[in-house]
Amino acid sequence: MKNLNRISNLFDLVFEKINSRYCRFIMTIKMKFIGVHYKNNIQFYGLTKFKKASSAIITIGLNCKFRSNHTSNLIGINRPCILSALTARAKLKIGDNCGFSGTVIGAFNEIVLENNVRCGANTLITDSDWHLDDPRVGKSESIRICCNVWLGEGVKVLKGVTIGENSVIGAGSIVTKNIPANVIAAGNPCKVIKNI
């Protein structure tokens, strides 16, 4: 039984490596074609979806990982990563060593993720209410997620928010206000639970 387990795990590892190389090849062509600026060593597990207005800016730093395959994160991913810069002035900037699992990022104004940001499975980051033709919708407001922040599974970060460095946001939280550095925060709405 142990040998069967090892063989199964080895098969999964080999398949993941082959799939990652294939996905990276496809995604590199797609990023060049639509004008996404990126540095080397980006890894893709499954195909990430990009949507970019012609003069919008999307930049991705070194060593970032995008997990879009349902089983590439064992907590379970229910959608591919989707990165959007949807207006002519939109900017989406991702620093080095960031990780994403089924993460949706929608920039209408500006979203900045600094270095070493981890986005758990099925997270959402958006600086807008999306329905711009509806008079009840407010204006888009920039988001900044500082270095070493960890967003737990299912977290939603909404417009106008800054999350300070080294903070952890608990699973399922909805972040509607700024979160300071070096804290654990959780809930709906997300509030500070304790200092780190």
Side-chain angles (χ1 to χ4, degrees):
M1 194 65 158
K2 278 188 177 179
N3 285 340
L4 283 176
N5 235 359
R6 286 182 185 160
I7 290 168
S8 176
N9 288 340
L10 182 61
F11 178 78
D12 287 347
L13 266 171
V14 169
F15 178 76
E16 188 174 82
K17 275 275 193 222
I18 293 168
N19 185 39
S20 175
R21 287 185 180 176
Y22 166 76
C23 291
R24 183 176 179 195
F25 174 74
I26 296 296
M27 294 311 305
T28 299
I29 292 169
K30 186 171 184 179
M31 289 188 297
K32 284 181 180 175
F33 183 73
I34 66 171
V36 173
H37 304 284
Y38 63 93
K39 295 182 180 174
N40 289 331
N41 298 328
I42 299 176
Q43 295 178 25
F44 293 94
Y45 302 90
L47 300 177
T48 295
K49 297 193 180 297
F50 288 96
K51 180 82 173 177
K52 181 180 150 321
S54 59
S55 58
I57 297 170
I58 299 177
T59 60
I60 302 171
L62 285 167
N63 301 318
C64 291
K65 292 181 183 175
F66 295 88
R67 296 184 178 274
S68 295
N69 184 310
H70 295 296
T71 58
S72 62
N73 180 330
L74 295 180
I75 201 167
I77 297 172
N78 62 24
R79 62 189 178 212
C81 291
I82 304 171
L83 278 65
S84 305
L86 295 163
T87 63
R89 70 177 192 281
K91 294 177 187 167
L92 171 53
K93 297 178 182 177
I94 297 171
D96 298 339
N97 306 307
C98 293
F100 307 91
S101 293
T103 301
V104 173
I105 304 176
F108 287 76
N109 187 25
E110 182 177 45
I111 297 176
V112 176
L113 281 70
E114 296 180 359
N115 297 335
N116 305 305
V117 172
R118 293 180 178 184
C119 296
N122 312 312
T123 46
L124 168 71
I125 303 166
T126 181
D127 65 359
S128 173
D129 297 322
W130 286 75
H131 297 279
L132 303 181
D133 59 342
D134 190 320
R136 297 169 292 179
V137 171
K139 65 177 184 155
S140 301
E141 297 178 49
S142 298
I143 290 174
R144 178 172 291 272
I145 300 178
C146 298
C147 292
N148 303 314
V149 166
W150 182 5
L151 304 179
E153 187 275 335
V155 167
K156 292 173 175 51
V157 179
L158 303 182
K159 66 183 188 179
V161 165
T162 296
I163 301 176
E165 64 184 19
N166 305 315
S167 288
V168 176
I169 309 299
S173 298
I174 300 180
V175 186
T176 59
K177 304 266 192 239
N178 292 346
I179 301 295
N182 303 304
V183 299
I184 295 174
N188 177 11
C190 189
K191 295 178 182 174
V192 174
I193 295 172
K194 66 177 183 176
N195 292 324
I196 298 176

